[in-house]
Amino acid sequence: MKLSLKTLLPARDLGWNRVRAVCALTTCHNKLLMKYVPGSRIGIFVGAAWYCSADCFAMASRGTLFSLSAETLVEMPRNPRLSLGLALLSKGYLDEDQLRFAMARSQREGLTLETTLVECGLATEKQLAAARGTQWGYPVLGQDAVSQSVAVDLPLTLLRAFFAVPLHYSAKARRLVLGFVYRVEHSLLQAIEQMTGLRPEPCFITLSEFKEQMQRVTAVSGYEEAAVENPGTATQMARTLGGFAVETAAREAGFSKCNSWIWARLVGKTRTVDVVFALRPTASAPQPKLSTAFSETVASLG
Ligand SMILES: [Zn+2]
């Protein structure tokens, strides 16, 4: 008979991996609570910090939420050196007269250059996407690539706000391809990486492809999103988050900032909830002036 080390050891005692730990909230009164490692049934981890209860977690998250909401956007907007017009010129889609005409008209009518170009039949959506790709140095995806159904655990609120849509997502293969319409939003890429550990691969697609693909995006099972439009003060946000922590029986939580949104993730045993707090009214999304046609698109996406 072959004896393994395991059989010589006493049956697993529930107490052996029990360690005495204190709640990371300094004002917590439950100094004697235990935490079980691993597979704790109680408390919430935020990184290495452990909170004994949803209440303590909520109290502590007030500070995090406060600093995240007070944080001014120091991040310099990364704008491409080449303007869209010059990118279109360089690709030979337009000549200088056409560009001049379109620019004057877009200014006069208060529309984006893109809208004017499409409305006047001077450029196609495909050409605009190709020009965006040149501007930003990212690939443009062909129509055939934009046809897969994708199940994600990412907040659609943020994706919609930045006109970004997952084209391919595999948690197993650690791969996420994100299609953007107007610009690559780096704060979104960073926030996704922070929350999921995945570094998204950006590319450009057309507005029509974006709308089509958005219809194919679903949530993975057990994933929910809560968008809070008027989140109030950090204390109110913390209270909201505490409520969700109780509801999801959260064991882990994480925070990140994406442009003017705070994205908090609560992970329970069976459910993951992303709570997205809009720090500014969503009407001031980082898009340039939208034409009525585009605004309608945005509204219909909402
Ligand atoms: Zn506590």
Side-chain angles (χ1 to χ4, degrees):
M1 190 180 126
K2 203 172 151 194
L3 278 180
S4 74
L5 186 63
K6 237 187 209 165
T7 57
L8 297 172
L9 290 170
R12 191 163 171 263
D13 167 22
L14 266 182
W16 79 278
N17 61 357
R18 186 182 291 184
V19 289
R20 194 170 280 270
V22 283
C23 178
L25 184 74
T26 42
T27 54
C28 175
H29 299 297
N30 297 337
K31 295 293 182 201
L32 293 175
L33 259 173
M34 307 282 202
K35 79 173 164 176
Y36 301 77
V37 184
S40 166
R41 280 191 173 274
I42 52 162
I44 301 171
F45 279 97
V46 179
W50 175 79
Y51 299 96
C52 72
S53 63
D55 281 347
C56 287
F57 160 71
M59 281 293 273
S61 63
R62 211 169 45 167
T64 310
L65 291 163
F66 180 77
S67 48
L68 285 174
S69 51
E71 208 172 76
T72 46
L73 290 169
V74 281
E75 186 196 336
M76 291 296 287
R78 294 189 217 182
N79 286 319
R81 279 191 203 151
L82 198 62
S83 72
L84 179 70
L86 287 179
L88 286 160
L89 276 185
S90 76
K91 294 193 83 76
Y93 296 147
L94 287 181
D95 61 33
E96 285 183 34
D97 286 342
Q98 289 170 320
L99 179 59
R100 223 173 283 128
F101 165 80
M103 282 172 76
R105 186 170 167 149
S106 72
Q107 271 175 7
R108 200 170 54 235
E109 297 184 357
L111 300 177
T112 61
L113 179 61
E114 306 198 16
T115 314
T116 309
L117 287 168
V118 173
E119 276 179 4
C120 298
L122 288 170
T124 63
E125 274 197 274
K126 270 279 169 214
Q127 289 174 330
L128 291 173
R132 287 284 185 218
T134 303
Q135 262 190 300
W136 291 82
Y138 291 112
V140 180
L141 238 62
Q143 179 63 51
D144 46 334
V146 191
S147 58
Q148 288 182 39
S149 295
V150 184
V152 294
D153 50 356
L154 296 170
L156 290 186
T157 307
L158 298 182
L159 295 173
R160 281 198 197 101
F162 300 112
F163 287 86
V165 64
L167 302 169
H168 174 80
Y169 186 34
S170 164
K172 215 173 172 185
R174 319 275 309 138
R175 199 154 180 244
L176 168 63
V177 180
L178 265 191
F180 288 88
V181 178
Y182 299 105
R183 52 179 297 134
V184 172
E185 178 63 34
H186 286 92
S187 73
L188 178 65
L189 301 180
Q190 282 162 7
I192 291 175
E193 189 175 1
Q194 208 177 329
M195 287 303 210
T196 66
L198 282 178
R199 179 179 277 272
E201 299 163 41
C203 66
F204 279 95
I205 54 169
T206 68
L207 181 62
S208 303
E209 287 166 348
F210 168 79
K211 287 190 274 176
E212 279 171 38
Q213 182 64 13
M214 264 301 186
Q215 308 285 334
R216 299 190 195 99
V217 175
T218 52
V220 298
S221 130
Y223 174 78
E224 287 155 78
E225 175 192 349
V228 186
E229 287 291 329
N230 297 299
T233 62
T235 307
Q236 286 167 306
M237 283 190 259
R239 209 173 289 142
T240 306
L241 210 52
F244 279 110
V246 172
E247 210 183 288
T248 51
R251 313 261 291 266
E252 259 179 78
F255 295 87
S256 85
K257 177 100 178 254
C258 177
N259 200 296
S260 57
W261 279 265
I262 293 175
W263 171 6
R265 172 165 282 193
L266 298 164
V267 183
K269 203 172 178 188
T270 55
R271 292 169 68 195
T272 294
V273 172
D274 277 335
V275 186
V276 181
F277 296 106
L279 298 179
R280 278 206 300 255
T282 19
S284 63
Q287 291 309 318
K289 251 190 221 164
L290 298 171
S291 78
T292 43
F294 279 1
S295 306
E296 277 159 23
T297 307
V298 178
S300 72
L301 287 167

